[in-house]
Amino acid sequence: MARKKDINYFDTFVELTGYSCQAAYLLNDVMNNFHADELKGKMEEMHNIEHSGDEARHAMVKKLAREFITPIEREDIMAMADAIDNVTDTIEDVIMRMYMFNVTNVREYGLKMTEIIVKCCDALKLALNEFYNFRKSQSLHQLIVEINFFEEEGDKLFTEATRDLYVNCRDYLEVAAWDQTFHYLERCCDACEDVADVIESVMMKNS
C-alpha cells in the first residue's frame, strides 16, 4: 500500500481532473442553455475554474520540489499534471472562441461534441481515482479504452460537423466561427486522450 504522503500526488490528480469536469459541465450548460449575451460572464466563470486548477497544480509542484522520494518518477508526475491542466485549458478555449467569434446560435453538432467531452472527462476522473492503484486495478485499463473510444467518436463527429457546416450553412460569418469552434471542441477530446496516454506510460514503466 502506498504511503500517505505518496497518495497526496494521486489525490491532486483527482482534484485537477475535478476541475476539468467542472469546466466540461459548464461548457455543456452553455451549449444546452445558450444565450449569446451571457457568454462573457460564462467565460469569466470558466476562467475561475481554470485558475483554481492552476493553483492546485502550483501547490503540487511546490511540494514536488521539496521531496526526494516520489511514488512515481518526477517527470511522470509533471507530465500527468500538465496533461490534466491542458484538458481544462482547452475546454476554456472553446468558450473564449465562442465569445471572440461572436457565436449567436448553437449548432446540433456542437451539442453532440460537448456531450462527448463530458463523457471523456467523467471517464478520466474515474481513471484518476483508480490511478493510485495502477499496479493492481481491475478497471483502469478498461477506462483508458473508454477514453480512447470517446476520442474516436469525437473525431468522427468533428468530420461530420465540419462537412455539415460547409454543405448547409450559407452565412460565411457563422461558417468561420463554427469552423474554429468545432476545431477547439475536437482538441478537448485529444487532450483527454493525452492524459490516458500518460497513465498508460506510467503503467508500462512500472509493470
Side-chain angles (χ1 to χ4, degrees):
M1 182 179 293
R3 292 169 296 181
K4 184 174 179 59
K5 72 173 184 177
D6 291 344
I7 294 175
N8 286 344
Y9 288 107
F10 297 109
D11 288 346
T12 300
F13 297 151
V14 174
E15 180 184 0
L16 292 175
T17 311
Y19 293 120
S20 298
C21 288
Q22 287 181 40
Y25 301 156
L26 177 57
L27 176 61
N28 190 55
D29 179 64
V30 168
M31 290 286 193
N32 282 279
N33 304 284
F34 185 76
H35 299 283
D37 59 348
E38 295 179 358
L39 270 178
K40 186 172 184 179
K42 295 297 183 180
M43 183 173 63
E44 292 172 356
E45 189 177 341
M46 182 70 80
H47 182 70
N48 289 335
I49 295 171
E50 187 274 337
H51 181 67
S52 295
D54 280 347
E55 288 186 331
R57 178 187 171 281
H58 293 324
M60 189 207 72
V61 171
K62 186 177 180 180
K63 169 183 167 65
L64 183 62
R66 297 195 305 263
E67 291 196 339
F68 293 103
I69 300 174
T70 56
I72 57 177
E73 293 182 13
R74 290 172 181 274
E75 57 264 34
D76 290 328
I77 292 173
M78 288 303 305
M80 181 65 75
D82 289 345
I84 299 170
D85 185 59
N86 190 51
V87 173
T88 309
D89 288 348
T90 308
I91 296 172
E92 181 185 23
D93 283 343
V94 176
I95 295 287
M96 289 175 61
R97 265 60 190 185
M98 292 177 73
Y99 174 75
M100 289 162 58
F101 301 144
N102 193 34
V103 167
T104 57
N105 66 289
V106 171
R107 298 184 68 84
E108 184 66 26
Y109 277 105
L111 297 175
K112 292 178 179 179
M113 293 181 75
T114 301
E115 182 181 354
I116 291 292
I117 293 166
V118 170
K119 289 179 179 179
C120 274
C121 287
D122 284 342
L124 272 183
K125 189 170 184 181
L126 290 174
L128 269 300
N129 269 301
E130 279 290 309
F131 186 47
Y132 78 96
N133 192 36
F134 64 87
R135 292 183 179 88
K136 297 180 180 179
S137 175
Q138 300 297 310
S139 59
L140 187 53
H141 175 73
Q142 184 55 41
L143 288 166
I144 291 171
V145 171
E146 278 188 30
I147 294 163
N148 290 335
F149 171 78
F150 290 139
E151 191 276 333
E152 290 176 3
E153 289 297 299
D155 282 347
K156 292 175 185 176
L157 283 171
F158 173 62
T159 299
E160 293 305 315
T162 304
R163 175 173 172 77
D164 175 72
L165 179 66
Y166 280 92
V167 170
N168 295 312
C169 186
R170 296 293 178 263
D171 184 332
Y172 77 93
L173 287 177
E174 184 175 350
V175 169
W178 274 101
D179 180 84
Q180 287 294 307
T181 302
F182 286 141
H183 171 71
Y184 278 90
L185 285 166
E186 193 269 338
R187 284 181 58 190
C188 295
C189 296
D190 289 344
C192 290
E193 187 178 46
D194 288 343
V195 179
D197 289 344
V198 177
I199 295 173
E200 278 195 312
S201 175
V202 171
M203 291 170 69
M204 291 299 294
K205 285 181 181 180
N206 294 276
S207 61

